[in-house]
Amino acid sequence: MLQIRPNCECCDRDLAVDADDVWICSFECTWCAECVNTFPGRACPNCGGNLERRPVRPAQALIKNPASTTKVTATNCVERTTAHASA
C-alpha cells in the first residue's frame, strides 16, 4: 500500500492527500509538479526512475488506511537539480 507522503521531497511543500498533481517513482519518492518540471528528463533525482502521478486514495479508504504524516526530504535536492539544469 502506498504511504501517500505529505510533502514534496525537494521543496518540502505540503501536498494535499487528494492532490492530483503529485508525482512518485517506484520507490515512492514524492514530488510536487513544480519541482518535477525542473528535473532533468522529468526523472526521479534520487533513483533516476520514471515518475507517475500519485493515485488519490478515496476518502472512505483513508479512514482505515490513513496517509503518512512522516515528512521525507531529499538531501540537497534543490542544489542538485539546479546545478544540473545550469550545466
Side-chain angles (χ1 to χ4, degrees), residues 32-87:
C32 70
E34 287 183 36
C35 285
V36 167
N37 288 333
T38 69
F39 298 162
R42 291 179 58 92
C44 177
N46 293 338
C47 70
N50 68 306
L51 299 173
E52 299 289 335
R53 287 191 186 270
R54 181 180 73 183
V56 174
R57 185 168 299 156
Q60 188 64 24
L62 285 168
I63 296 168
K64 186 174 179 182
N65 301 290
S68 175
T69 57
T70 303
K71 289 191 168 202
V72 176
T73 55
T75 305
N76 300 324
C77 177
V78 173
E79 293 83 3
R80 286 185 292 140
T81 57
T82 302
H84 190 280
S86 62

Side-chain angles (χ1 to χ4, degrees), residues 9-26:
E9 292 184 34
C10 197
C11 69
D12 199 27
R13 174 179 297 144
D14 290 336
L15 302 171
V17 69
D18 60 351
D20 64 358
D21 61 345
V22 178
W23 297 83
I24 62 172
C25 72
S26 65

